[in-house]
Structures are given as C-alpha cells and as structure tokens.
Amino acid sequence: MARTGAQVTDERPAKRLRIEEDGPGVAGAGEQVKDKGDASAVEESDEENFETNTKHGMQGGGRGSDLYLDTINRAVLDFDFEKVCSVSLSNVNIYGCLVCGKYFQGRGRSSYAYAHSIHEDHHVFINLGTTKVYVLPDGYAVSDPSLEDIAFVLAPSFTPASVSTLSSPARMSKPSYDLSGKPYLPGYIGLNNIKRNDYTNVVVHSLLHVTPLRDYLLLTPFSSKHSELLRRFSALTKKMWNPRLFKGQVSPHEFLQEVGRASGGKFRLETQGDPVEFLSWLLNHVHKDMGGTKKHNSSVIYQAFQGEVRMETQQVVVQSTIASNQRPRFDIDREIKTTMSPFLLLAVDLPPPPLFQDSVEKNIIPQVGIHAVLSKYDGVSTQESRGQLRRYKCQRLPPYIILHYRRFAKNNFVEEKNPTIVNFPLRGVDFSDYVDAAPSHPPFVYDLVANVILDSVAGTARDKEHTVWKAQLRAGRGTGDNEKWYQIQDLIVEEIQKEMIFLGESVLQIWERRQVHK
C-alpha cells in the first residue's frame, strides 16, 4: 500500500519520533546534537539501524509520487555555497533538502534533517558528500534515473574524451541551456560578485582557460589527502565547465571562503584587492598543495608558467678622485654580477604618462607598442634601480607567459595609476628577441588567451573602491573570422569585437605558445 498522508505501510518502521510544535520539537531534536563528535556518533548508530530496518523500502519499485520525487524543486537548488548545516553550522555529514534547498546535519532520528522533514513536510534529501538521495523520515535510499541530473550538478564528472572537446569549434558553437531555457557557454559563464571579489573572479576565469591546468583540475580524482583549497578549486572548475547547470552562472563562495582561511584573511570577500597579488599567491599556494618543489616541472603550475630570466647587475659608484668641494661624478663599476631567477609572472614597465594636458585641456592618454615594453628583456636595455644598473634576458620561456603591466606606483602622497594604452596583436607575438636560444631553434610565437583590464574613474590616482575588473577571454581555438572573444564582468557575459580588446587598461595577460616549425 502506498504511503499517503499519515498512513504507513507495514514494511516501513513502526517507530516514529513524535515532535510537538511547542514541546521539544526542533529544538529538542537539535539539542541532542551537541558537537561534531556527538553528531558523528549518533549518526553512525542511528543511520545503521535505519538502513537495517528499511533497506528493502525501495526494492519493490514505486511511482515517483509515492517516493515524493514530484516535490523536488530544482529551481531552488544551489550547491555553490559552503556545505554547513543551517542550524548547527557544522560541516559534518551534511544533507540538502531537495524541496527547499536548505542544508541540515545528519538524517538519523535525532538529526536536524529528520526534524525538518516532519515539521515542514519535506521528505527528499541528498547527501552532499556521496550524492545519494534519501526519503525522510523513513530513511530509505532512492535510486531513480530522474535524480541523475541533480547528482551531476552537485558533483560534475568529466572524462578525457569529454575534456578534449571543451575548446573545439563545434562545442563553442553549441550552447547549453539552463532550467529557464536561457543559453550559456560552458567555461564562459558569470561568477557572482558576492561583495568585492571581482578581482578574484577575473583571475579564476583567466587561469581556467589555460588548458593543462584546467584539464588537471577536471580529471584528477582529488580526495581527503589533498588540501581543501585544491579540492574546492577543482570543484569550482567543474561547475564552470559543466554543460548541465540548473543556472547559467556560478557562485565562487565556497572556494573564496577557503581562500580567506588559507591566506590568513589577506584576500577577503568584502574588501577590494589586487588581482596580481592574488594570482601570485594562488599559483604558489596551489603549486605547493600539488606537491610541487623548487625543481622545474615539479607541478602542473611550473610546467605551464615557470620560466627563467638572467639579470646582470652593475653598481653605480662615485669617482674617488673628486675633491670634497666639487660636485660628485658617477661611474659604472666594471664588475658585472649575473644571477638566474625563476619567474611565474613576467613584469613589464610602462612609460611615464605626460605631465601636461593637450590644447583642449583633456588628459593625453599615451599609447605604446608591446615590443617597446618587452624590450626590457632584450639583454641590452638598461634599467636603473637603487643605485644599480640592470639588464634582463630570458633563458627559458614557459608554454604560457603571464605578463604583468605595472600600472601602479606609490609616492609620498597617493598611489598613482598609469593610463598608458598598450597596443598588441591578438596572435603571433614573437618573443624570440627576449630569450637566449640557439639560432636553429624555432621562433617563440605566442597567442593571447586572456586579458584582464581595469575600469576606473578618470585621473591618475588609484581608487580601489571604484575600480571594476573585467576578463576578456578567447573562445576556443577559432581563428580568422571564426575567432570570438567574450568579456566577463561578474555576471555580465557579452561577446566583444576583437578590435576593442587592446583599448582597455590591461594589467594581466596570459599568452599561449604556438607550435611553430622552422
């Protein structure tokens, strides 16, 4: 006999926890779970009895209405937030109500989920760790094909075959659709700006379009032996590339909560930060969590981004023959000190902006070509810093170069912003002049993958509170007329004309080496 209203079949357990509205009720059920240790002990014994008494509850099959599956509301399901109980705030053994979307601890007779199922008449819950679905208060597991989409949204999975086609032109031309029928392109979806975290969103977008890093995060089976940051970064990656989302957007809340903890509060949700600082911290932290060392190619981070630069240093000295009453004269020390240094980001300097306005009293926005700023690494151009002359030349270039345009400089009063526009082609930038390589070596040609720009108020002073960060991403491997670019600002995703990309104030860029045969 099917279960209707208060009727219960003889096959279901006869024992019920009776909870009164004004009696012990929810509070009574909640008070029995005093801490994480007690919760785990109660859950193990209570749920073991549940499984023993009711494991045959689904064996005979049944209609969806009998199993309460028709009460599931996919529109309210959101698995992007931290998996903590909405009552106890514990993160141990968490279940999600598939009717209202709230999280509760446990499903035993003394649990919050059990009490919620009785008081709210919500009966279908999913274990957020195992993706198994249960019907409460009876406690039996449900296995039904109609639940597969929910499990996939909670824990997306990818195969090498599916990952290999993520950036193919066919996939780029075929959008996915959310529950409301709105199209979206996996990998090019909006990230919630929870408060002031747009500076982290652009970094996440840029990194997750670096193919080897993306594929590693999608395909590696992370477990409890890996760091929490690495597991949450992987989970966010899978959600962003998920072709079966219920909503065409993702919240990075769970990942950023762990970022705040792992960084000791340096990168916070409610405070605007610098994407360059966050990118540097994230790359080094993830590298260590992957088991990386100081050795070259010891992690996927070093394999993708690490290069090496040679720095030659000469000291500027005062001539010793100058009398005390004469003006000092400077000379260059003949001794040249050479050091090798690995890098993950290649910093370039912009020429200083003009001090005066033009004839119509408007600020002049200067422009410079990318090779003019890259000449810093030609081994000939000299940089003066703290009484030293320095020359730089790359010894090894990585498959992906991260360029950092230094737009901000501090003086005694404010932090100044350099508005200089950098002109660059989207494809075919030759870095061969900036690396020591044999003449027979194929040229080092790179194509742009991601471009991070800032949008701020006019002027030369930096205003963090009114700065907006945007990511511009190349769509797949399309070339020529088929090449598309998307600009993402938090939840706003829009296609952008290629000719408009270099007009922004670029701060970070990721360049991918092209396979060139000499």
Short mmCIF file of all heavy atoms in Angstrom, two decimals, residues 92-139:
data_model
loop_
_atom_site.label_atom_id
_atom_site.label_comp_id
_atom_site.label_asym_id
_atom_site.label_seq_id
_atom_site.Cartn_x
_atom_site.Cartn_y
_atom_site.Cartn_z
N VAL A 92 29.84 18.55 9.19
CA VAL A 92 29.94 17.09 9.28
C VAL A 92 28.64 16.45 8.81
O VAL A 92 27.57 16.78 9.31
CB VAL A 92 30.26 16.66 10.73
CG1 VAL A 92 30.29 15.13 10.83
CG2 VAL A 92 31.58 17.25 11.18
N ASN A 93 28.73 15.55 7.82
CA ASN A 93 27.58 14.73 7.39
C ASN A 93 26.37 15.61 7.01
O ASN A 93 25.32 15.55 7.63
CB ASN A 93 27.20 13.77 8.51
CG ASN A 93 26.46 12.55 7.98
OD1 ASN A 93 26.55 12.24 6.80
ND2 ASN A 93 25.74 11.89 8.84
N ILE A 94 26.52 16.40 5.96
CA ILE A 94 25.51 17.38 5.60
C ILE A 94 24.60 16.84 4.49
O ILE A 94 25.07 16.24 3.52
CB ILE A 94 26.17 18.70 5.15
CG1 ILE A 94 27.07 19.23 6.27
CG2 ILE A 94 25.13 19.74 4.79
CD1 ILE A 94 26.34 19.49 7.57
N TYR A 95 23.32 17.10 4.65
CA TYR A 95 22.30 16.72 3.67
C TYR A 95 21.60 17.98 3.19
O TYR A 95 21.38 18.92 3.96
CB TYR A 95 21.27 15.76 4.29
CG TYR A 95 21.81 14.38 4.54
CD1 TYR A 95 22.65 14.12 5.62
CD2 TYR A 95 21.50 13.31 3.70
CE1 TYR A 95 23.16 12.85 5.86
CE2 TYR A 95 21.99 12.04 3.93
CZ TYR A 95 22.82 11.82 5.01
OH TYR A 95 23.32 10.55 5.22
N GLY A 96 21.22 17.97 1.92
CA GLY A 96 20.47 19.08 1.35
C GLY A 96 19.04 18.69 1.08
O GLY A 96 18.77 17.63 0.52
N CYS A 97 18.12 19.53 1.51
CA CYS A 97 16.70 19.29 1.24
C CYS A 97 16.42 19.64 -0.22
O CYS A 97 16.66 20.77 -0.66
CB CYS A 97 15.84 20.13 2.17
SG CYS A 97 14.05 19.99 1.85
N LEU A 98 15.90 18.68 -0.97
CA LEU A 98 15.64 18.90 -2.39
C LEU A 98 14.30 19.59 -2.64
O LEU A 98 13.92 19.79 -3.80
CB LEU A 98 15.68 17.57 -3.14
CG LEU A 98 17.03 16.85 -3.13
CD1 LEU A 98 16.97 15.58 -3.98
CD2 LEU A 98 18.14 17.76 -3.62
N VAL A 99 13.61 19.97 -1.57
CA VAL A 99 12.35 20.69 -1.71
C VAL A 99 12.55 22.19 -1.48
O VAL A 99 12.03 23.02 -2.24
CB VAL A 99 11.30 20.14 -0.73
CG1 VAL A 99 9.97 20.88 -0.89
CG2 VAL A 99 11.10 18.65 -0.94
N CYS A 100 13.35 22.54 -0.45
CA CYS A 100 13.57 23.96 -0.15
C CYS A 100 15.01 24.40 -0.36
O CYS A 100 15.29 25.61 -0.37
CB CYS A 100 13.14 24.29 1.28
SG CYS A 100 14.15 23.49 2.54
N GLY A 101 15.93 23.47 -0.51
CA GLY A 101 17.32 23.80 -0.77
C GLY A 101 18.18 24.03 0.45
O GLY A 101 19.37 24.28 0.32
N LYS A 102 17.63 23.93 1.67
CA LYS A 102 18.42 24.18 2.88
C LYS A 102 19.29 22.98 3.22
O LYS A 102 19.01 21.84 2.84
CB LYS A 102 17.49 24.50 4.05
CG LYS A 102 16.72 25.81 3.90
CD LYS A 102 15.84 26.06 5.11
CE LYS A 102 15.07 27.39 4.97
NZ LYS A 102 14.20 27.63 6.15
N TYR A 103 20.37 23.27 3.96
CA TYR A 103 21.31 22.22 4.39
C TYR A 103 21.06 21.86 5.85
O TYR A 103 20.81 22.74 6.69
CB TYR A 103 22.76 22.70 4.25
CG TYR A 103 23.21 22.96 2.83
CD1 TYR A 103 24.40 23.65 2.58
CD2 TYR A 103 22.49 22.51 1.73
CE1 TYR A 103 24.83 23.90 1.29
CE2 TYR A 103 22.91 22.74 0.44
CZ TYR A 103 24.08 23.44 0.23
OH TYR A 103 24.50 23.68 -1.05
N PHE A 104 21.16 20.57 6.15
CA PHE A 104 20.99 20.09 7.51
C PHE A 104 21.99 18.99 7.81
O PHE A 104 22.45 18.28 6.91
CB PHE A 104 19.57 19.57 7.73
CG PHE A 104 18.50 20.60 7.56
CD1 PHE A 104 17.82 20.72 6.35
CD2 PHE A 104 18.18 21.47 8.58
CE1 PHE A 104 16.85 21.67 6.17
CE2 PHE A 104 17.20 22.43 8.40
CZ PHE A 104 16.53 22.53 7.20
N GLN A 105 22.28 18.85 9.11
CA GLN A 105 23.25 17.83 9.53
C GLN A 105 22.54 16.51 9.82
O GLN A 105 21.56 16.46 10.56
CB GLN A 105 23.98 18.32 10.78
CG GLN A 105 25.08 17.38 11.26
CD GLN A 105 25.77 17.90 12.50
OE1 GLN A 105 25.22 18.74 13.20
NE2 GLN A 105 26.97 17.41 12.76
N GLY A 106 23.07 15.43 9.22
CA GLY A 106 22.58 14.09 9.51
C GLY A 106 21.20 13.80 8.96
O GLY A 106 20.52 14.67 8.41
N ARG A 107 20.78 12.53 9.10
CA ARG A 107 19.42 12.13 8.72
C ARG A 107 18.85 11.12 9.70
O ARG A 107 17.81 10.52 9.45
CB ARG A 107 19.40 11.56 7.30
CG ARG A 107 20.23 10.31 7.12
CD ARG A 107 20.18 9.82 5.68
NE ARG A 107 21.04 8.66 5.47
CZ ARG A 107 20.66 7.40 5.68
NH1 ARG A 107 19.44 7.13 6.08
NH2 ARG A 107 21.50 6.40 5.48
N GLY A 108 19.56 10.88 10.80
CA GLY A 108 19.04 9.96 11.83
C GLY A 108 17.87 10.57 12.57
O GLY A 108 17.47 11.71 12.34
N ARG A 109 17.33 9.79 13.50
CA ARG A 109 16.11 10.23 14.22
C ARG A 109 16.34 11.45 15.09
O ARG A 109 15.38 12.16 15.42
CB ARG A 109 15.59 9.08 15.09
CG ARG A 109 15.17 7.85 14.28
CD ARG A 109 14.63 6.76 15.19
NE ARG A 109 14.37 5.54 14.44
CZ ARG A 109 13.29 5.32 13.73
NH1 ARG A 109 12.36 6.25 13.67
NH2 ARG A 109 13.13 4.20 13.07
N SER A 110 17.57 11.71 15.48
CA SER A 110 17.85 12.87 16.32
C SER A 110 18.49 14.00 15.53
O SER A 110 19.09 14.91 16.11
CB SER A 110 18.78 12.47 17.47
OG SER A 110 19.99 11.92 16.97
N SER A 111 18.39 13.96 14.22
CA SER A 111 19.08 14.94 13.39
C SER A 111 18.18 16.11 13.03
O SER A 111 16.95 16.05 13.15
CB SER A 111 19.58 14.27 12.11
OG SER A 111 18.49 13.90 11.29
N TYR A 112 18.80 17.16 12.54
CA TYR A 112 18.06 18.34 12.10
C TYR A 112 17.27 18.05 10.82
O TYR A 112 16.17 18.57 10.62
CB TYR A 112 19.01 19.51 11.87
CG TYR A 112 19.74 19.96 13.11
CD1 TYR A 112 21.11 19.77 13.24
CD2 TYR A 112 19.07 20.57 14.16
CE1 TYR A 112 21.79 20.17 14.38
CE2 TYR A 112 19.73 20.98 15.31
CZ TYR A 112 21.09 20.77 15.40
OH TYR A 112 21.75 21.16 16.54
N ALA A 113 17.84 17.25 9.93
CA ALA A 113 17.13 16.91 8.70
C ALA A 113 15.86 16.13 9.02
O ALA A 113 14.81 16.35 8.39
CB ALA A 113 18.04 16.11 7.77
N TYR A 114 15.94 15.20 9.96
CA TYR A 114 14.78 14.41 10.36
C TYR A 114 13.68 15.32 10.90
O TYR A 114 12.50 15.20 10.53
CB TYR A 114 15.20 13.39 11.42
CG TYR A 114 14.14 12.38 11.78
CD1 TYR A 114 14.09 11.15 11.13
CD2 TYR A 114 13.20 12.63 12.77
CE1 TYR A 114 13.13 10.20 11.47
CE2 TYR A 114 12.23 11.71 13.11
CZ TYR A 114 12.20 10.49 12.45
OH TYR A 114 11.25 9.56 12.78
N ALA A 115 14.06 16.25 11.78
CA ALA A 115 13.08 17.19 12.34
C ALA A 115 12.47 18.08 11.26
O ALA A 115 11.27 18.34 11.25
CB ALA A 115 13.74 18.04 13.42
N HIS A 116 13.30 18.51 10.32
CA HIS A 116 12.81 19.36 9.24
C HIS A 116 11.81 18.61 8.36
O HIS A 116 10.80 19.18 7.94
CB HIS A 116 14.01 19.82 8.39
CG HIS A 116 13.64 20.67 7.22
ND1 HIS A 116 13.27 22.00 7.33
CD2 HIS A 116 13.55 20.38 5.89
CE1 HIS A 116 12.98 22.49 6.14
NE2 HIS A 116 13.15 21.52 5.23
N SER A 117 12.07 17.34 8.10
CA SER A 117 11.16 16.57 7.25
C SER A 117 9.78 16.43 7.88
O SER A 117 8.77 16.42 7.19
CB SER A 117 11.75 15.19 6.98
OG SER A 117 11.76 14.40 8.16
N ILE A 118 9.73 16.34 9.22
CA ILE A 118 8.45 16.19 9.91
C ILE A 118 7.71 17.53 10.01
O ILE A 118 6.52 17.63 9.71
CB ILE A 118 8.67 15.58 11.31
CG1 ILE A 118 9.16 14.14 11.16
CG2 ILE A 118 7.39 15.64 12.14
CD1 ILE A 118 9.48 13.46 12.47
N HIS A 119 8.41 18.57 10.41
CA HIS A 119 7.76 19.86 10.64
C HIS A 119 7.37 20.56 9.34
O HIS A 119 6.32 21.21 9.28
CB HIS A 119 8.68 20.77 11.46
CG HIS A 119 8.63 20.48 12.92
ND1 HIS A 119 7.71 21.03 13.77
CD2 HIS A 119 9.39 19.66 13.69
CE1 HIS A 119 7.90 20.59 15.01
NE2 HIS A 119 8.92 19.75 14.98
N GLU A 120 8.21 20.45 8.30
CA GLU A 120 7.96 21.16 7.06
C GLU A 120 7.33 20.28 5.99
O GLU A 120 7.03 20.75 4.89
CB GLU A 120 9.27 21.76 6.52
CG GLU A 120 9.95 22.74 7.47
CD GLU A 120 9.09 23.96 7.73
OE1 GLU A 120 8.28 24.33 6.85
OE2 GLU A 120 9.23 24.55 8.83
N ASP A 121 7.18 18.99 6.28
CA ASP A 121 6.62 18.04 5.32
C ASP A 121 7.47 17.98 4.05
O ASP A 121 6.97 17.82 2.95
CB ASP A 121 5.17 18.40 4.96
CG ASP A 121 4.42 17.20 4.37
OD1 ASP A 121 4.78 16.06 4.73
OD2 ASP A 121 3.50 17.40 3.56
N HIS A 122 8.80 18.10 4.24
CA HIS A 122 9.76 17.94 3.15
C HIS A 122 10.46 16.59 3.34
O HIS A 122 11.00 16.33 4.41
CB HIS A 122 10.79 19.07 3.16
CG HIS A 122 10.21 20.42 2.89
ND1 HIS A 122 10.94 21.59 2.99
CD2 HIS A 122 8.95 20.80 2.51
CE1 HIS A 122 10.16 22.63 2.70
NE2 HIS A 122 8.95 22.16 2.41
N HIS A 123 10.48 15.78 2.30
CA HIS A 123 10.87 14.39 2.53
C HIS A 123 12.07 13.90 1.72
O HIS A 123 12.58 12.81 2.00
CB HIS A 123 9.68 13.48 2.22
CG HIS A 123 8.47 13.79 3.04
ND1 HIS A 123 8.36 13.48 4.37
CD2 HIS A 123 7.31 14.43 2.71
CE1 HIS A 123 7.18 13.89 4.83
NE2 HIS A 123 6.53 14.48 3.84
N VAL A 124 12.56 14.65 0.75
CA VAL A 124 13.63 14.16 -0.11
C VAL A 124 14.91 14.95 0.18
O VAL A 124 14.94 16.17 0.06
CB VAL A 124 13.26 14.28 -1.60
CG1 VAL A 124 14.26 13.49 -2.45
CG2 VAL A 124 11.85 13.79 -1.86
N PHE A 125 15.97 14.20 0.56
CA PHE A 125 17.25 14.81 0.93
C PHE A 125 18.37 14.11 0.17
O PHE A 125 18.31 12.93 -0.13
CB PHE A 125 17.49 14.68 2.44
CG PHE A 125 16.55 15.50 3.28
CD1 PHE A 125 15.25 15.07 3.51
CD2 PHE A 125 16.94 16.70 3.84
CE1 PHE A 125 14.36 15.81 4.28
CE2 PHE A 125 16.07 17.45 4.61
CZ PHE A 125 14.78 17.02 4.83
N ILE A 126 19.44 14.89 -0.11
CA ILE A 126 20.61 14.34 -0.79
C ILE A 126 21.83 14.51 0.08
O ILE A 126 22.02 15.56 0.70
CB ILE A 126 20.82 15.03 -2.17
CG1 ILE A 126 21.92 14.33 -2.94
CG2 ILE A 126 21.09 16.51 -2.02
CD1 ILE A 126 22.04 14.78 -4.39
N ASN A 127 22.61 13.46 0.18
CA ASN A 127 23.88 13.54 0.90
C ASN A 127 24.86 14.32 0.04
O ASN A 127 25.19 13.91 -1.07
CB ASN A 127 24.40 12.13 1.20
CG ASN A 127 25.65 12.14 2.06
OD1 ASN A 127 26.63 12.80 1.76
ND2 ASN A 127 25.61 11.38 3.14
N LEU A 128 25.34 15.46 0.55
CA LEU A 128 26.18 16.34 -0.26
C LEU A 128 27.58 15.77 -0.47
O LEU A 128 28.32 16.28 -1.31
CB LEU A 128 26.28 17.72 0.40
CG LEU A 128 24.95 18.45 0.58
CD1 LEU A 128 25.17 19.83 1.14
CD2 LEU A 128 24.18 18.53 -0.73
N GLY A 129 27.93 14.72 0.26
CA GLY A 129 29.22 14.10 0.07
C GLY A 129 29.18 12.93 -0.89
O GLY A 129 30.10 12.74 -1.69
N THR A 130 28.12 12.12 -0.82
CA THR A 130 28.04 10.91 -1.65
C THR A 130 27.06 11.03 -2.80
O THR A 130 27.03 10.15 -3.67
CB THR A 130 27.61 9.72 -0.78
OG1 THR A 130 26.27 9.93 -0.30
CG2 THR A 130 28.54 9.55 0.42
N THR A 131 26.22 12.07 -2.81
CA THR A 131 25.17 12.33 -3.81
C THR A 131 24.05 11.30 -3.75
O THR A 131 23.22 11.23 -4.65
CB THR A 131 25.71 12.40 -5.26
OG1 THR A 131 26.12 11.09 -5.68
CG2 THR A 131 26.87 13.37 -5.36
N LYS A 132 23.99 10.48 -2.69
CA LYS A 132 22.87 9.55 -2.53
C LYS A 132 21.64 10.29 -2.04
O LYS A 132 21.74 11.22 -1.22
CB LYS A 132 23.23 8.44 -1.55
CG LYS A 132 24.27 7.45 -2.07
CD LYS A 132 24.50 6.33 -1.07
CE LYS A 132 25.49 5.31 -1.60
NZ LYS A 132 25.72 4.20 -0.62
N VAL A 133 20.46 9.88 -2.51
CA VAL A 133 19.21 10.55 -2.16
C VAL A 133 18.43 9.65 -1.20
O VAL A 133 18.34 8.43 -1.39
CB VAL A 133 18.38 10.85 -3.43
CG1 VAL A 133 17.04 11.46 -3.05
CG2 VAL A 133 19.16 11.79 -4.36
N TYR A 134 17.85 10.25 -0.17
CA TYR A 134 17.09 9.53 0.85
C TYR A 134 15.74 10.18 1.04
O TYR A 134 15.57 11.39 0.83
CB TYR A 134 17.84 9.52 2.19
CG TYR A 134 19.17 8.81 2.14
CD1 TYR A 134 20.32 9.48 1.76
CD2 TYR A 134 19.26 7.46 2.48
CE1 TYR A 134 21.55 8.83 1.71
CE2 TYR A 134 20.48 6.80 2.44
CZ TYR A 134 21.61 7.49 2.06
OH TYR A 134 22.83 6.83 2.01
N VAL A 135 14.76 9.36 1.46
CA VAL A 135 13.44 9.84 1.82
C VAL A 135 13.31 9.80 3.33
O VAL A 135 13.51 8.75 3.96
CB VAL A 135 12.33 9.00 1.16
CG1 VAL A 135 10.98 9.37 1.74
CG2 VAL A 135 12.33 9.21 -0.35
N LEU A 136 13.02 10.93 3.93
CA LEU A 136 12.81 11.03 5.37
C LEU A 136 11.34 11.33 5.63
O LEU A 136 10.66 11.92 4.78
CB LEU A 136 13.70 12.13 5.95
CG LEU A 136 15.22 11.95 5.82
CD1 LEU A 136 15.94 13.11 6.50
CD2 LEU A 136 15.68 10.63 6.39
N PRO A 137 10.82 10.93 6.81
CA PRO A 137 11.54 10.38 7.96
C PRO A 137 11.85 8.88 7.88
O PRO A 137 12.47 8.34 8.79
CB PRO A 137 10.59 10.66 9.12
CG PRO A 137 9.25 10.59 8.50
CD PRO A 137 9.40 11.16 7.12
N ASP A 138 11.41 8.18 6.82
CA ASP A 138 11.61 6.74 6.78
C ASP A 138 13.08 6.37 6.64
O ASP A 138 13.51 5.33 7.15
CB ASP A 138 10.81 6.14 5.61
CG ASP A 138 9.33 6.41 5.76
OD1 ASP A 138 8.86 6.38 6.91
OD2 ASP A 138 8.66 6.68 4.75
N GLY A 139 13.87 7.16 5.92
CA GLY A 139 15.30 6.95 5.87
C GLY A 139 15.80 6.00 4.81
O GLY A 139 16.95 5.59 4.86
#
